């Protein structure tokens, strides 16, 4: 079998598995929501909350995209901030293709005309994803006990959980070590392999954590946008929302086959949110409300992503970037 046929076959398998996952989750949600009579749930849609929820999602990605542009600059890709951010937001459409490999490919293709070499573009895209997922996993582990969805014996064993969190950063450190070894074996004129500084990666965790805090605010707005009598929005509620949104976002990334984390993210969010409403609504109604919140959050996020992505696509840059140079100092 030729390489092209194998690639098409693999894409077909990934697509089939993705459809199975999305269908299974949709069926689960259908079973949760079936039998609901219109107006029977304590839900009232308030758009004035849902629109800002979508804006906060875009600002969260601004935290992550700005870190990616900093990585590009460190690796010598002298693209402008406008070009870099535009490329990031448009490439987000690639995550809806099963396998999520289209995102770095789109970024490489979009930045090549601007003088950016494909290797650092692709590698920095992977670094940005690993660091942002590490930040999300770290927050999920720290605040998992606040959700109360797992026994204390499980959520309290943070040593094991932190080892899972450290895996993406460990891969980044390993790559940096490999780049140093390869540098000694390659010729003096060879292009240096991408290897961001550990200090810059540590700053990336701050970028990532800030993004998840904005996502937690987005989730809180969505809850208040659907529930007329929502729980008090205090520090404890923010902590729970931060744990829930971090957990569901990382879960959506881990399920690589799921396009854009579709299904996996909503299922985890339903599981994380439902216990908050059991005391006031009962177990069955709480599960139904949690499903509606997860779906509304997905709708607000996707709508914002589509509007900004299409806007950036229309507003094409006209200024040529500076010529690429070698790795730069870390910007403050």
């Amino acid at each position: 079998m030729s390489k092209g046929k194998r690639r098409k076959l693999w894409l077909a398998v990934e697509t089939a598995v993705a459809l199975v996952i999305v269908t299974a989750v949709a069926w689960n949600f259908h079973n949760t929501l079936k039998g609901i009579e219109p107006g029977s749930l304590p839900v009232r849609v308030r758009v004035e909350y849902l629109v800002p929820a979508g804006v906060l999602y875009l600002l969260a990605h601004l935290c992550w995209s700005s870190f990616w542009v900093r990585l590009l600059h460190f690796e010598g890709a002298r693209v402008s901030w406008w070009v870099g951010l535009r490329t990031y937001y448009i490439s987000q459409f690639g995550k809806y293709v099963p396998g999520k490999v289209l995102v770095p490919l789109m970024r490489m293709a979009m930045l090549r005309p601007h003088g950016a070499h494909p290797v650092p573009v692709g590698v920095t895209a992977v670094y940005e994803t690993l660091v942002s997922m590490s930040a999300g996993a770290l927050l999920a582990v720290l605040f998992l006990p606040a959700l109360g969805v797992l026994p204390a014996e499980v959520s309290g064993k943070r040593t094991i959980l932190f080892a899972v969190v450290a895996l993406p950063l460990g891969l980044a450190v390993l790559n940096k070590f490999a780049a140093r070894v390869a540098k000694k074996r390659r010729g003096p004129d060879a292009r240096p392999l991408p290897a961001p500084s550990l200090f810059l990666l540590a700053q990336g965790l701050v970028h990532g954590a800030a993004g998840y805090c904005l996502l937690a605010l987005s989730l809180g707005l969505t809850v208040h946008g659907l529930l007329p009598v929502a729980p008090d929005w205090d520090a404890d509620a923010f902590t729970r929302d931060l744990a829930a949104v971090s957990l569901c976002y990382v879960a959506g990334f881990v399920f690589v086959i799921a396009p854009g984390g579709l299904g996996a993210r909503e299922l985890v969010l339903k599981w994380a949110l439902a216990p908050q409403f059991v005391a006031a609504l009962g177990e069955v109604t709480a599960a139904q409300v949690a499903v509606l919140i997860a779906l509304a959050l997905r709708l607000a996020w996707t709508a914002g992503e589509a509007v900004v992505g299409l806007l950036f696509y229309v507003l094409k840059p006209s200024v040529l970037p500076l010529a690429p140079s070698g790795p730069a100092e870390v910007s403050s």
Side-chain angles (χ1 to χ4, degrees):
M1 184 182 296
S2 65
K3 186 176 181 180
K5 290 184 178 180
R6 286 198 301 268
R7 188 174 301 172
K8 291 180 180 179
L9 178 60
W10 180 246
L11 179 60
V13 171
E14 285 185 333
T15 303
V17 174
L19 288 174
V20 170
I21 293 174
V22 173
T23 302
V25 174
W27 183 253
N28 177 273
F29 284 1
H30 168 74
N31 289 336
T32 303
L33 297 174
K34 70 179 181 181
I36 298 177
E37 297 181 4
S40 63
L41 287 181
V43 171
R44 180 164 61 90
V45 178
R46 290 183 285 181
V47 179
E48 64 270 21
Y49 283 88
L50 298 180
V51 171
V55 173
L56 285 170
Y57 172 76
L58 297 174
L59 292 177
H61 276 278
L62 181 60
C63 295
W64 302 335
S65 60
S66 60
F67 173 58
W68 178 59
V69 176
R70 293 183 65 202
L71 286 172
L72 285 174
H73 290 171
F74 182 87
E75 295 300 334
R78 297 303 184 192
V79 299
S80 68
W81 278 90
W82 162 246
V83 170
L85 295 178
R86 175 182 180 272
T87 299
Y88 177 94
Y89 279 99
I90 294 177
S91 69
Q92 289 301 100
F93 289 117
K95 68 185 180 183
Y96 293 104
V97 175
K100 298 182 175 67
V101 296
L102 190 58
V103 172
L105 293 178
M106 288 179 66
R107 295 185 190 180
M108 287 187 284
M110 291 179 67
L111 290 186
R112 189 157 197 167
H114 296 277
H117 194 276
V119 172
V121 174
V123 172
T124 53
V126 174
Y127 268 110
E128 177 266 319
T129 301
L130 289 176
V131 172
S132 62
M133 289 304 112
S134 287
L138 178 62
L139 292 172
V141 168
L142 283 175
F143 299 112
L144 186 60
L147 284 176
V149 294
L150 290 177
E153 296 78 11
V154 178
S155 60
K157 292 186 179 299
R158 298 185 179 181
T159 302
I160 299 176
L161 296 176
F162 275 122
V164 176
V165 173
L167 180 59
L169 285 181
L171 293 175
V173 174
L174 181 62
N175 178 73
K176 188 171 182 63
F177 174 75
R180 289 185 177 181
V181 173
K183 183 178 179 180
K184 296 179 180 179
R185 298 183 178 181
R186 303 172 76 198
D189 297 330
R191 182 183 183 86
L193 296 177
S197 71
L198 296 181
F199 180 58
L200 182 56
L201 294 179
Q203 294 176 55
L205 289 176
V206 178
H207 282 259
Y212 286 105
C213 288
L214 292 173
L215 292 184
L217 293 175
S218 177
L219 174 57
L221 283 174
T222 303
V223 172
H224 282 74
L226 293 182
L227 299 182
V229 185
D232 292 337
W233 205 6
D234 52 16
D236 290 337
F238 176 78
T239 299
R240 291 193 298 270
D241 289 342
L242 182 57
V245 80
S246 300
L247 192 64
C248 80
Y249 212 91
V250 173
F253 171 76
V254 171
F255 285 90
V256 179
I257 300 298
L262 186 63
R265 188 183 297 170
E266 285 70 33
L267 191 62
V268 172
L269 189 58
K270 168 205 166 186
W271 170 74
L273 288 178
Q276 301 181 31
F277 311 121
V278 170
L281 303 176
E283 187 172 346
V284 174
T285 304
Q288 294 169 342
V289 167
V291 169
L292 291 179
I293 292 172
L295 295 177
L297 189 67
R298 166 70 74 169
L299 179 61
W301 287 1
T302 304
E305 196 169 59
V307 169
V308 171
L310 293 174
L311 181 63
F312 275 141
Y313 181 78
V314 172
L315 300 175
K316 297 181 179 181
S318 56
V319 180
L320 293 177
L322 297 174
S325 60
E329 297 295 329
V330 180
S331 58
S332 57

